[in-house]
């Protein structure tokens, strides 16, 4: 179930391209992308921090990656992202 923020899920538009695995969601009124389901981790969500209510996140870990060589990166060290969607 995909949430929709202030306007609700009915305000979201979905965009896919390439393999069609990643699912990008946009507000159909203002265009912001509050979250998406990445191709590298289709069971997870990537969230735009600016769309979160203040105080809801207490800790953030930033990991840098080589987006120019994404395919190679995700097959190597970047593949660790998939573990974030595994049940505990």
């Amino acid at each position: 179930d995909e949430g929709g923020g202030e306007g609700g899920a009915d305000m979201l538009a979905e965009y896919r391209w390439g393999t069609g695995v990643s699912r990008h969601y946009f507000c159909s009124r203002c265009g912001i992308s509050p979250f998406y389901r990445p191709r590298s981790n289709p069971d997870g969500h990537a969230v735009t921090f600016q769309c979160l209510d203040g105080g809801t996140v207490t800790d953030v870990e930033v990991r840098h990656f080589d987006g120019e060589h994404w395919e190679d990166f995700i097959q190597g060290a970047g593949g660790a992202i998939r573990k974030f969607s595994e049940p505990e």
Side-chain angles (χ1 to χ4, degrees):
D1 182 42
E2 311 300 350
E6 293 285 326
D10 59 326
M11 293 297 294
L12 291 177
E14 181 182 359
Y15 181 72
R16 295 185 190 201
W17 70 90
T19 64
V21 175
S22 66
R23 299 169 65 182
H24 292 256
Y25 297 94
F26 297 87
C27 173
S28 60
R29 187 174 69 206
C30 74
I32 194 165
S33 177
F35 61 92
Y36 72 97
R37 290 185 168 210
R39 181 172 63 145
S40 59
N41 186 20
D43 293 327
H45 286 89
V47 177
T48 302
F49 287 111
Q50 293 86 344
C51 292
L52 298 174
D53 292 332
T56 58
V57 176
T58 58
D59 187 43
V60 175
E61 178 182 341
V62 176
R63 295 185 182 187
H64 297 278
F65 69 95
D66 179 358
E68 184 178 357
H69 303 99
W70 187 88
E71 295 288 346
D72 293 333
F73 180 77
I74 208 65
Q75 293 301 319
I81 193 172
R82 292 182 181 96
K83 72 178 181 178
F84 293 121
S85 292
E86 294 175 357
E88 294 183 25

